[in-house]
Every structure is written in structure tokens, then in C-alpha cells.
Amino acid sequence: MSLFKSKNNPAPVAQNNSSQFADVALRMISEAVIMTNRAGVIQYLNPAAVTMTGCKAPENVYGLDYGLLIRIETKEGRELPEAENPLLQATRTGQPLDNYECVMIQAGSDKRLPVAISVIPVPGLSGGFILTLRDITKELAEEGEQTEFISTASHEMRTPVASIEGYLSLALNPQTATIDERARGYLTSAHTAAQHLGKLFRDLLDTTKLDDGHIRPNFVPTEMIGAVKQISDDFIVRMREAKLNYRFGSTDPTGAAGGLRLDQVVYGFVDPNFLREIIDNLLDNALKYTPAGGSVYVGVLGDGDRVLINVTDTGVGISSTDLQHIFQKFYRADNSDTREIGGTGLGLYITKQRVEAMGGRIWAESAFGEGTTFYVSLPRLSAEEYEKRSIALRNAAQAPPTQPVQPTPNNITQGGIVK
Ligand code: ADP
């Protein structure tokens, strides 16, 4: 069926050259393309979409909700409840979704196919969405081989690097070695480089463990405002040393625009270690990329069935070109502000994996030279669900669950330079 003669749109429109090219291109490409209206009702599928989704009679799916055709689960084979389904979230909120890797359950056969899904909202009066699906079976197999190699290599190299780091520390310690000032300068540089290498191998191992599915989240019902505040307040000393203004509970210097609502108690179902790593990584970056005198704000809001965490800084910012790539493995923006700052380009990749493993989404908004906000959206639990899961966990572990920390004006860090 032609894009321009669908069941719901029998009259040919815009039969000019470019629309014919678009039609041919859509028929030729191996990516599945599905177009829906604003309500998610399917208006068009290209031939690749028909094959990939396994829908035997494409005419029958026109007019159906796309959710009936594209059923997904996580890469680990976990079912995705509505609140955790990034595809549904994207079409509900109108936020784009970029290359979300998951497994699609094919219509009819129930066969599983690993795919990367993107959702692009179509602006304008008619609205609607373009969904693209890419078969990533081959990519995953190649990645698996790569992962195994990187995992073995970094594991083997970690030990000699730790030993180099240890000996350099001994050489630099006046109690264990006597060296002249020039040698101290050289050895200090070598020590910094060895530490960087050690961090790179640790990050690489973490990455490969996640890629392999070796690290699975250990979900715990959690009161989110208290949990995030506890993690981010651990940065107070480093913020002070870096001469940064830190405030918990806001998205801007006045504290007025969102970030925290005192009348809210926000529950989530998260892995506490993953949550710590996520906030740590985002705050590490905020610290690294915000010059002295700048500000860093952290907030937690209940937003419908989601928990929305923001880590905002007034630092160097990220250009729109770099913004599209920062969650990729080893990507580092290359400009005069960031060139001098050390890093591996793995922090945000690991962070994104941790967020997605908990059914969440992460994205960033930034103005180059002005600052950046990272948003993490995680599934939210109702108070009843929180109670139910806490009791289930207590029964399973025979141990009391963590007590919810109610947000009060006293447990919110007040603004100004942290003293
Ligand atoms: P790195 O180890 O290089 O910091 P990340 O994966 O954590 O690696 O970040 C990737 C890149 O994204 C960084 O090199 C930097 O260019 C950019 N970036 C991340 N966070 C920020 C931020 N808060 N402000 C400006 N740039 C950032």
C-alpha cells in the first residue's frame, strides 16, 4: 500500500517528485516505519514494518492502536508495566524516544526480536508520531563478542595498573622514598595518568557487566525525596571546595520553579545502589563542568505516575550537536571548555543503562555556555503499592523496610553558598 493511498486517506495527496521519492525510500529501507495519528492509531506501515512486526494482513492493522501491534519487553525478558514502558510514555507525553533497545514480541507467532525503537513526534496541527524499529540481532551478536573481549582485557589489565599506581604512590610518599623536585613532578603526572587508566578499566568492566546482563537491579520500595537528598548531600563538601552554590529541592536559584513540593511524598521502586551511581555520576559531571561561582540544583518531583529527578547546573553547557551523542559509549564533547577536564566518556553511558534497567528514562536539556539539566524519570509507586511491596519485602527478608523520610522544611538544604 502506498503511503499516500492508505485506507484512511484514499485521495492521493501532494503527488510531486519529493513525495514519490519519500514513498520509494520508505518501501526500500530495512528500518520499519510506522506512522500514527495523535491518538496512536496506525495510519501507515512500510513493508519492513509488516515483516518485522509479523502482522500477516497489514490492511487489518490500519485504524488499530499501535500498542496492539508493538508489544515489548526489556532486553532481560522482563514484562513492562504501562508506567515503565518508554514507548507509551513517549506517545503520551510527546517527548521523543531515541533508539530504545528492547525485545519486540511479534504478532501472531510470539517470536522475540531484539529491536531499537525511536519515536518522533510530528509537529503541527495534525500531530501524530513516526515510530521506527531497527532489527539489532546482528549488532547484539557483534557487541557480545566485543564485550567479552573488553571484559577479559580490562580485567587482566586492572591488576598491573593497580600495581603501577601503588608503586607510584610509594615513590611519591616522603616516608618511603627520597626523590628530587623534578622527579616528583614527573611521577605526579604518571600517578594521575595511572589513576585515570584505573578508572577507565573499572568503568569498562562495569559497562561490560551491564551489557552482558550480569548486573540486575535489586528493587526496593523507596521514599525518593529522602533517598536522593541523602545521596546528593554527600556532595556538600566537594561543592564547597569547588566554590559552587548547591541547593537541594529546586531547579533554579530562587527555588520557586519546581524541584520539590513539600506536600508530596514520592515513592519509587529502585535499586538503591543504581540510584546512588546515577546521582553520583550526574553530580560528578555537574562539579566537573561548572566553573567556580556557579550553581548546582537537585530536585525530586512526583509527576503523575513518574518520579522526576533533576540535576541542574549553570556550567559550560553542551552544544546541540554534542547533546545528541553524550549517552553513547566513549563520547566526550570536544571544545575548549571540556578538553582540559579529565573523563572517560563512559559515565553517562553507564548512567543511562542503570536508569533503563529500572524502567526509567534519562535526557538532558542544555544551553551552550549557560548550563545543563539532566532529567531522570522513574516509575512511581502509590502509597498503597509502597506499603504492599514493603510488607512483601519484609516478609521475604524477615527484616524491617526503610522508613519513609517525610520532606519537611528542616531536611531541605537551604540556598546560598554551602557553609
Ligand atoms: P566524562 O567522563 O567525559 O565526563 P560522561 O559520559 O560522564 O563522560 O559525559 C560525556 C560528555 O558529556 C562529557 O565529556 C561532557 O562533554 C558532556 N557532559 C556531561 N555532563 C555535563 C555537564 N553537566 N555539563 C556540560 N557537559 C557535560
Side-chain angles (χ1 to χ4, degrees):
M1 178 179 291
S2 160
L3 164 60
F4 306 103
K5 288 180 188 169
S6 74
K7 189 178 169 192
N8 295 330
N9 185 16
V13 289
Q15 287 288 6
N16 55 25
N17 271 351
S18 55
S19 67
Q20 280 169 2
F21 278 136
D23 200 9
V24 173
L26 282 167
R27 284 167 174 279
M28 301 290 291
I29 57 171
S30 57
E31 278 203 8
V33 179
I34 298 169
M35 298 179 189
T36 76
N37 67 11
R38 203 192 290 268
V41 174
I42 298 173
Q43 308 289 299
Y44 169 78
L45 296 95
N46 71 345
V50 173
T51 318
M52 214 182 281
T53 56
C55 76
K56 296 208 174 65
E59 310 79 57
N60 294 345
V61 299
Y62 285 101
L64 286 187
D65 189 293
Y66 80 88
L68 295 171
L69 187 65
I70 307 177
R71 290 179 299 144
I72 57 169
E73 54 188 32
T74 63
K75 282 196 277 186
E76 296 77 31
R78 190 168 61 86
E79 250 184 66
L80 275 168
E82 279 193 13
E84 292 180 29
N85 185 328
L87 196 55
L88 279 183
Q89 294 303 324
T91 48
R92 270 185 200 156
T93 59
Q95 293 273 358
L97 179 70
D98 185 28
N99 269 313
Y100 172 69
E101 293 188 2
C102 59
V103 170
M104 182 179 63
I105 307 163
Q106 285 184 324
S109 70
D110 275 0
K111 231 175 90 187
R112 263 67 175 165
L113 185 75
V115 289
I117 304 185
S118 298
V119 178
I120 306 146
V122 181
L125 272 185
S126 57
F129 298 94
I130 297 176
L131 284 74
T132 66
L133 288 84
R134 189 161 46 83
D135 181 347
I136 53 170
T137 315
K138 213 166 141 220
E139 268 170 54
L140 288 186
E142 282 167 7
E143 250 180 47
E145 285 164 23
Q146 258 181 25
T147 301
E148 200 174 322
F149 172 74
I150 295 173
S151 162
T152 316
S154 40
H155 193 265
E156 292 303 312
M157 286 191 258
R158 226 170 32 150
T159 317
V161 168
S163 153
I164 294 170
E165 209 186 313
Y167 280 115
L168 287 170
S169 299
L170 285 177
L172 285 166
N173 185 344
Q175 286 171 353
T176 46
T178 312
I179 49 171
D180 67 26
E181 273 318 296
R182 192 129 59 115
R184 177 170 300 282
Y186 296 148
L187 289 180
T188 304
S189 303
H191 190 231
T192 309
Q195 279 179 323
H196 177 71
L197 208 56
K199 165 102 173 72
L200 178 64
F201 287 140
R202 276 194 302 279
D203 280 358
L204 274 173
L205 259 182
D206 273 358
T207 309
T208 52
K209 277 188 204 151
L210 260 180
D211 284 347
D212 264 3
H214 279 152
I215 301 182
R216 298 260 169 103
N218 187 10
F219 289 102
V220 177
T222 305
E223 191 288 306
M224 295 298 290
I225 295 176
V228 174
K229 178 173 173 5
Q230 199 172 15
I231 300 166
S232 74
D233 279 1
D234 282 349
F235 278 75
I236 285 177
V237 173
R238 287 175 63 194
M239 295 283 177
R240 183 170 46 203
E241 282 167 3
K243 299 197 166 42
L244 294 179
N245 174 44
Y246 160 77
R247 183 197 283 259
F248 179 82
S250 82
T251 51
D252 77 2
T254 66
L260 192 72
R261 278 180 42 195
L262 291 180
D263 59 336
Q264 276 192 333
V265 183
V266 184
Y267 298 112
F269 197 46
V270 294
D271 179 316
N273 294 327
F274 278 24
L275 184 69
R276 178 167 283 279
E277 271 184 87
I278 292 163
I279 306 296
D280 276 357
N281 269 336
L282 295 179
L283 282 172
D284 264 338
N285 280 348
L287 260 166
K288 271 200 304 197
Y289 299 108
T290 309
S295 303
V296 176
Y297 311 109
V298 180
V300 183
L301 275 178
D303 181 16
D305 57 2
R306 312 292 295 172
V307 181
L308 188 66
I309 302 169
N310 71 280
V311 176
T312 303
D313 66 59
T314 59
V316 299
I318 306 170
S319 72
S320 54
T321 318
D322 288 322
L323 205 54
Q324 297 166 27
H325 304 288
I326 52 170
F327 294 103
Q328 289 166 6
K329 247 184 228 180
F330 299 116
Y331 191 86
R332 305 204 66 218
D334 184 20
N335 58 56
S336 53
D337 286 320
T338 56
R339 214 166 288 138
E340 300 298 310
I341 303 169
T344 62
L346 283 172
L348 286 179
Y349 175 75
I350 295 172
T351 305
K352 182 169 187 268
Q353 279 189 321
R354 302 284 200 246
V355 171
E356 288 178 354
M358 296 195 294
R361 282 185 59 218
I362 180 167
W363 69 98
E365 289 170 7
S366 187
F368 190 53
E370 289 175 28
T372 307
T373 294
F374 282 89
Y375 290 101
V376 174
S377 156
L378 293 165
R380 184 179 179 188
L381 287 186
S382 66
E384 297 77 52
E385 268 297 309
Y386 171 82
E387 272 308 312
K388 239 171 52 191
R389 293 190 195 205
S390 299
I391 291 167
L393 192 75
R394 190 169 36 204
N395 288 344
Q398 304 248 307
T402 52
Q403 288 300 308
V405 179
Q406 303 286 338
T408 67
N410 293 337
N411 69 12
I412 294 156
T413 309
Q414 295 303 313
I417 299 275
V418 179
K419 300 276 184 332

